[in-house]
Amino acid sequence: MSRTDHQAATAAVFAALGAPTPCWPLTTGGRQICDAQGRVRVIVVPVADSDASTDAALARSIARLINEAAGERQPDACSPLDPDHLDAVREETARCGRQMGRRVGGGR
């Protein structure tokens, strides 16, 4: 997929700001959006009348809009930073750990 001049300029601006595209929400239910290097760059701040699912949907929409503006394709289901993939890996790791009778993980 080739980028338009506008998309290339947008991607260059994000790269110059130290937040290279593509962007992904950190987790499927999260409010944090990370850059291509996995660093959190945007946080959707909850407000009094919002709930976690609304905030997570907003985070996914913001990431999608940034990626579209920069000419990035949407992540595949098993992309390294895809939140569904990360959640599935964490779940499977925990399941295997329970089967083996040990605590696995830490992190979140």
Side-chain angles (χ1 to χ4, degrees):
M1 167 179 160
S2 62
R3 293 180 174 163
T4 65
D5 290 341
H6 180 71
Q7 289 171 329
T10 301
V13 167
F14 276 101
L17 292 171
T21 57
C23 297
W24 289 279
L26 192 56
T27 62
T28 53
R31 296 176 171 105
Q32 302 162 328
I33 300 171
C34 60
D35 64 13
Q37 296 173 341
R39 298 173 301 183
V40 174
R41 294 310 209 164
V42 178
I43 298 175
V44 174
V45 178
V47 294
D49 60 346
S50 69
D51 62 25
S53 63
T54 304
D55 293 343
L58 180 58
R60 285 190 303 274
S61 295
I62 291 169
R64 189 187 78 245
L65 291 169
I66 291 169
N67 291 337
E68 286 175 4
E72 297 285 353
R73 65 184 187 86
Q74 292 305 305
D76 296 329
C78 288
S79 293
L81 296 178
D82 178 60
D84 291 329
H85 176 72
L86 294 175
D87 286 346
V89 168
R90 277 191 287 275
E91 183 179 314
E92 183 64 14
T93 301
R95 186 190 66 76
C96 289
R98 286 190 303 272
Q99 268 186 333
M100 293 185 286
R102 63 179 170 194
R103 186 176 181 281
V104 178
R108 295 180 196 101

